[in-house]
Amino acid sequence: MSTLTAVTDATFQAEVLDSEIPVVVDIWAAWCGPCRQVAPLLEQLATEYDGRVKIVKVDADQNPETVTAAGVTSIPTLGFYRDGIRTDVLIGAHPKPVMTEKIEALLA
Amino acid sequence: MSIQEVELVIIGSGPAGYTAAMYAARAELAPVVIAGSVTAGGALMTTTEVENFPGFVEGVQGPALMESMRAQAERFGACILLDDATRVDLDGHVKTIETGAGEIFHARAVILAMGSAYRKLGLADEERLTGRGVSWCATCDGFFFREQEIVVVGGGDSAMEEALFLTRFASKVTVVHRRGEFRASKIMAQRVLDHPKIEVAWNSEVAILNGAEKLESVTLRDTVSGAEKEVTATGVFVAIGHDPRSELVAGLVATDAGGFVLVDHPSTRTNIPGVFAAGDLVDHTYRQAITAAGTGCAAAQDAQHFLTALENEAVTLNETEEVFA
């Protein structure tokens, strides 16, 4: 269903923190309805920003280290990373203009 | 951007929107459903087990039920658009609906089924601590509170469901309710009262959310005596009801003081010809999946009759013109 790269505790450093381009990390889980609701929009954004911003997902159920490190207690939570640093966080499902604004800020 | 001419646009995709879509599609109205960019499926997407939807003897998961409703509407030709309605113009014969992506629809009839949104506590630190302990979705977030102490606020069925669900994770759940008895159905209330992990703080409301980086405790205020006490909690789940999502049509269709869209009961007609409304957007009394589906069905039929009458009117006018030609 999803074409976004699945990042794990093991690959988080390489895929996110060491990434050449900014990364948006979607922390989600199979049991979370709003996570499913937001998924098609993230796919769409991944296509629109292809090559400029990487959008990846982390399954909260399988990757406790990443979840704990990010201090997540609500999902979906989107983390915005640039040069290995989390610059912004967006909690919950938000419509496209809100997400676009955050991504543009990440690129600015 | 091109304008698409359609018969019927349905705004919203909960049980009301999807049921309206299914009926309208079967009536060959080829409805377009503006389902929401991140809200498709509506409120049931954040619930777990739905035990009281007829036909599901063993219950059904909320998201699964909504995916089935969507598939059923699509099977008959409804077009489901994962976008938000950002602007509408409902006056006159041609209604205009604009989406977030800038698509414009011209429709002869519109069904409003935007549902409702969670009511907030209205506390100072609520926004700041949202996602840092304050949550509106037990299904989504319960997992993150293993072996921790949690507070659930509310006295209705949603609050009961959340409290019971959260006992799977939490070491202790305190249900905070501002009255001396629950508004929930008897079966749900009894399950809560009987549960060994659940304690009830009667006649209480949350006065303060405490915590710097994350929620650490809540201060409860007794609604009778005014006395305050602090309760340890790393999570607060809010289930104090819903408010209608009528901002899109504020000032365009008649609503009551609470923002619920007014309809001409038992029909689903609003005060604007060709505009119908269904589901939680209208209903401040029952607010069930099945009642929303019921009014969605009614709205589709009302829209269908309206469009047929328009058609007949046009035919009569043409005939009259021919006679006088």
Side-chain angles (χ1 to χ4, degrees):
Chain A
M1 179 183 117
S2 172
T3 57
L4 302 180
T5 307
V7 167
T8 65
D9 284 347
T11 62
F12 194 81
Q13 177 76 35
E15 289 280 357
V16 179
L17 301 179
D18 296 342
S19 171
E20 300 267 313
I21 57 171
V23 188
V24 178
V25 179
D26 168 33
I27 299 184
W28 72 289
W31 65 74
C32 158
C35 298
R36 288 194 228 182
Q37 289 175 303
V38 85
L41 179 54
L42 290 171
E43 307 251 329
Q44 198 186 330
L45 288 166
T47 311
E48 286 175 24
Y49 285 93
D50 189 29
R52 295 193 289 149
V53 174
K54 191 157 77 171
I55 303 183
V56 301
K57 54 179 192 170
V58 173
D59 185 345
D61 202 11
Q62 309 293 329
N63 301 287
E65 282 175 33
T66 307
V67 168
T68 308
V72 170
T73 59
S74 281
I75 48 173
T77 284
L78 299 183
F80 298 80
Y81 293 80
R82 187 168 58 191
D83 302 326
I85 295 163
R86 190 171 74 176
T87 58
D88 206 352
V89 180
L90 188 61
I91 294 158
H94 296 267
K96 192 173 176 182
V98 178
M99 295 218 205
T100 312
E101 195 183 307
K102 297 273 185 197
I103 296 176
E104 289 296 335
L106 194 61
L107 283 169
Chain B
M1 195 69 67
S2 69
I3 294 172
Q4 300 179 58
E5 309 280 343
V6 299
E7 290 287 300
L8 173 65
V9 165
I10 297 165
I11 307 175
S13 59
Y18 280 156
T19 304
M22 180 184 55
Y23 271 79
R26 284 173 57 85
E28 299 189 330
L29 295 175
V32 171
V33 181
I34 316 287
S37 62
V38 292
T39 52
L44 280 184
M45 293 299 284
T46 64
T47 63
T48 46
E49 188 97 346
V50 179
E51 288 185 333
N52 52 10
F53 202 88
F56 295 89
V57 182
E58 302 299 332
V60 58
Q61 296 294 313
L65 179 62
M66 294 323 298
E67 273 155 34
S68 299
M69 283 193 197
R70 174 185 168 165
Q72 199 174 354
E74 282 183 316
R75 182 183 151 209
F76 297 107
C79 169
I80 316 281
L81 206 62
L82 296 180
D83 203 344
D84 307 299
T86 50
R87 202 187 61 83
V88 294
D89 183 356
L90 301 173
D91 276 332
H93 283 300
V94 178
K95 326 290 183 193
T96 305
I97 300 93
E98 205 174 312
T99 71
E103 282 187 88
I104 293 168
F105 292 92
H106 278 174
R108 296 201 295 161
V110 173
I111 294 174
L112 305 172
M114 289 90 79
S116 55
Y118 297 106
R119 186 173 299 157
K120 299 193 169 177
L121 291 168
L123 296 174
D125 292 311
E126 192 169 6
E127 203 69 39
R128 183 175 65 82
L129 290 170
T130 291
R132 294 172 179 85
V134 177
S135 173
W136 276 267
C137 177
T139 333
C140 310
D141 303 340
F143 172 81
F144 301 107
F145 296 91
R146 282 227 168 92
E147 295 308 315
Q148 297 178 38
E149 295 185 20
I150 290 177
V151 162
V152 172
V153 191
D157 272 340
S158 302
M160 301 300 111
E161 191 204 313
E162 301 226 327
L164 290 163
F165 178 77
L166 289 167
T167 58
R168 298 188 200 177
F169 307 100
S171 55
K172 181 185 167 192
V173 177
T174 304
V175 177
V176 175
H177 185 47
R178 61 195 160 120
R179 299 188 210 289
E181 62 178 332
F182 289 134
R183 176 167 45 83
S185 57
K186 287 241 158 58
I187 183 169
M188 295 298 280
Q190 201 55 49
R191 280 184 204 165
V192 163
L193 295 172
D194 291 345
H195 202 288
K197 273 191 185 178
I198 301 179
E199 206 169 275
V200 182
W202 299 109
N203 300 312
S204 299
E205 59 188 10
V206 177
I208 308 167
L209 301 165
N210 306 301
E213 289 299 308
K214 286 189 165 199
L215 185 76
E216 285 157 15
S217 71
V218 298
T219 303
L220 301 185
R221 186 187 298 129
D222 190 301
T223 53
V224 183
S225 69
E228 294 190 349
K229 67 167 178 180
E230 202 169 322
V231 173
T232 303
T234 49
V236 168
F237 289 78
V238 186
I240 53 171
H242 295 79
D243 291 314
R245 292 177 63 209
S246 55
E247 319 83 59
L248 180 70
V249 296
L252 303 178
V253 300
T255 63
D256 69 10
F260 290 93
V261 171
L262 293 170
V263 295
D264 184 16
H265 282 301
S267 94
T268 62
R269 286 189 298 267
T270 68
N271 66 318
I272 308 287
V275 179
F276 306 86
D280 282 6
L281 185 69
V282 174
D283 177 12
H284 44 72
T285 311
Y286 306 107
R287 293 176 304 188
Q288 302 297 301
I290 187 65
T291 50
T295 55
C297 159
Q301 298 201 29
D302 289 343
Q304 187 191 350
H305 293 147
F306 171 82
L307 290 166
T308 307
L310 273 189
E311 201 86 1
N312 292 341
E313 214 172 283
V315 170
T316 315
L317 277 177
N318 283 342
E319 280 169 357
T320 318
E321 278 166 19
E322 275 164 28
V323 170
F324 288 99

